[in-house]
Amino acid sequence: MRSSTEAGPCPAAEPCGGPEHRWTQETAQAIHDLPFNDLIFQAQVTHRANFDPNRVQLSRLLSIKTGGCPEDCAYCSQSARHASGLSASRLMEVRQVLAEARKARDAGATRYCMGAAWRSPKERDMATIIAMVEGVKALGMETCMTLGMLDQGQAQRLKQAGLDYYNHNIDTSEQYYTQIITTRSFADRLDTLANVRDSGIKLCCGGIVGMGEHPLDRVAMLVTLANLPEPPESVPINMLIPIDGTPLADAEPIDPIAFVRMIALARIMMPRSHVRLSAGRTAMSDEMQALCFFAGANSIFVGDTLLTADNPGEDADSALFRRLGIQPMERDGH
Ligand code: SAM
Ligand code: DTB
Ligand code: SF4
């Protein structure tokens, strides 16, 4: 094992984030397996070289179309194939979405993320989606959407509407993917990511841990993300929220230290990306979240709800930020 004196910013041959930089499973695994103190020290050094360590970006989520999804993602409350008890809703109206977005902006969010439980958007919904992007942008916030698979034309139209980010997670390793989702493939995910990237929209792409995957799968997921033609600008790391009625309802929770290792590794492998401590914060102690921020997480979802599940809420987050001396990040800023 490497000792703390060896723990420099990056052990790979090419500079991290450089165009020629390729991660191998072995190099990534070696960092992942460092003694914990060496790992988070290296992550913190990397973090400080690229960001203000005391600023965290705030994003707000809204489910603009909930439930009834034809896909079979084993973790998801919104799949029509699982008996989660969630009823399906229609696509929200633009004015309702803009009213919610205004509230989020006034509460300090700088990015507004709108999610729909679709396999992919239908043509009949595109005009509404585009009006939502234009309206949220006019409020002065960054816009993000997650609508399932996109073809090239759809990605281009969303770009023209002013969409800043598209969220599309690879969720786990290529190898473990078929254990979690059977209605689409890992390659389908990569195709949409390429369509989004080619359109000029920034990528928000990460995954979930705590789905019964092997630690090797967690590292492999980060290797895929870091080796994309360009790493995603945002990397959400979700801790599984077990949902009753889904196949993963009784999954063994991930060891908090193993979770922090993932955050640290994501920070080291994608030094200039925002690493988002995403789903699962209600099940984390303040101390665990503090360790995640120390390991390089610098973005969170704020508000009482994510898409369908609970989130800590504004009061808990402001109290935690006060205790840690963390300030919200300005828009586009560090
Ligand atoms: N339907 C779209 C799609 O799958 O691309 C967008 C919405 S989907 C709910 C967005 C992401 O939320 C998923 O890719 C997954 O990573 C995360 N997610 C969903 N349910 C979750 C859960 N129960 N726990 C943790 N993360 C979850
Ligand atoms: C992401 O990676 N996490 C967010 C966002 N992208 C869309 C979603 C979390 C969903 C958690 C479960 C729920 O609220 O239903
Ligand atoms: Fe549908 Fe997305 Fe949930 Fe999968 S994760 S079931 S695609 S809403």
Side-chain angles (χ1 to χ4, degrees):
M1 281 203 178
R2 289 150 53 83
S3 76
S4 56
T5 48
E6 291 171 87
C10 179
E14 298 289 337
C16 289
E20 301 306 320
H21 190 282
R22 305 293 298 167
W23 284 93
T24 63
Q25 176 80 19
E26 291 67 34
T27 319
Q29 192 72 45
I31 298 175
H32 177 271
D33 295 346
L34 282 170
F36 186 74
N37 286 341
D38 291 349
L39 174 66
I40 54 171
F41 175 71
Q42 186 173 327
Q44 177 67 197
V45 167
T46 307
H47 192 41
R48 280 171 186 265
N50 293 283
F51 290 98
D52 178 339
N54 301 309
R55 292 222 178 235
V56 167
Q57 190 271 336
L58 308 184
S59 292
R60 182 73 163 96
L61 265 174
L62 176 69
S63 181
I64 57 171
K65 195 272 166 206
T66 306
C69 184
E71 305 283 64
D72 70 350
C73 311
Y75 49 79
C76 189
S77 62
Q78 304 199 67
S79 167
R81 297 163 194 244
H82 309 146
S84 67
L86 193 78
S87 47
S89 73
R90 295 163 62 91
L91 181 60
M92 280 174 77
E93 284 176 25
V94 178
R95 60 175 175 76
Q96 281 178 294
V97 171
L98 297 187
E100 294 297 325
R102 193 172 287 113
K103 281 192 245 167
R105 182 196 62 184
D106 295 345
T110 57
R111 191 180 306 170
Y112 204 62
C113 311
M114 294 158 271
W118 287 329
R119 176 172 165 84
S120 59
K122 298 223 165 41
E123 181 52 38
R124 62 165 188 256
D125 294 318
M126 284 302 282
T128 310
I129 292 297
I130 284 169
M132 288 175 188
V133 173
E134 289 169 347
V136 172
K137 234 185 140 53
L139 291 172
M141 301 170 90
E142 290 180 321
T143 51
C144 178
M145 286 203 151
T146 178
L147 313 171
M149 293 188 268
L150 293 187
D151 64 28
Q152 273 186 345
Q154 290 171 322
Q156 281 160 8
R157 284 162 72 192
L158 289 171
K159 171 67 186 172
Q160 275 160 18
L163 187 67
D164 296 299
Y165 288 84
Y166 196 75
N167 167 249
H168 200 67
N169 292 341
I170 58 170
D171 281 336
T172 188
S173 69
E174 180 168 13
Q175 213 188 358
Y176 198 59
Y177 199 81
T178 52
Q179 303 293 307
I180 300 298
I181 300 154
T182 67
T183 49
R184 53 172 146 69
S185 67
F186 198 75
D188 289 332
R189 284 320 249 189
L190 297 180
D191 284 349
T192 293
L193 292 173
N195 292 338
V196 171
R197 181 59 88 196
D198 291 348
S199 76
I201 298 172
K202 288 182 265 210
L203 274 186
C204 171
C205 182
I208 312 182
V209 291
M211 300 193 294
E213 72 285 343
H214 191 276
L216 286 170
D217 291 304
R218 296 180 199 142
V219 173
M221 175 177 93
L222 294 182
V223 169
T224 298
L225 293 173
N227 284 343
L228 287 171
E230 275 186 73
E233 281 80 2
S234 283
V235 180
I237 305 292
N238 296 282
M239 186 173 84
L240 178 74
I241 301 177
I243 311 269
D244 283 347
T246 64
L248 292 176
D250 299 317
E252 183 74 22
I254 184 175
D255 164 23
I257 298 292
F259 185 86
V260 178
R261 281 188 180 276
M262 273 296 280
I263 297 283
L265 188 59
R267 167 52 62 226
I268 292 165
M269 293 175 71
M270 292 169 276
R272 285 187 274 278
S273 304
H274 283 79
V275 175
R276 183 171 308 119
L277 182 55
S278 304
R281 290 197 300 115
T282 50
M284 295 179 195
S285 67
D286 283 358
E287 293 81 1
M288 178 176 171
Q289 292 186 63
L291 261 185
C292 289
F293 294 132
F294 188 60
N298 63 345
S299 172
I300 57 169
F301 285 119
V302 288
D304 295 340
T305 34
L306 293 161
L307 291 171
T308 69
D310 290 345
N311 199 46
E314 209 190 315
D315 293 349
D317 285 339
S318 336
L320 178 59
F321 276 25
R322 246 193 327 276
R323 286 169 76 201
L324 300 177
I326 288 177
Q327 303 277 341
M329 202 179 281
E330 305 285 323
R331 203 194 130 147
D332 295 326
H334 284 183

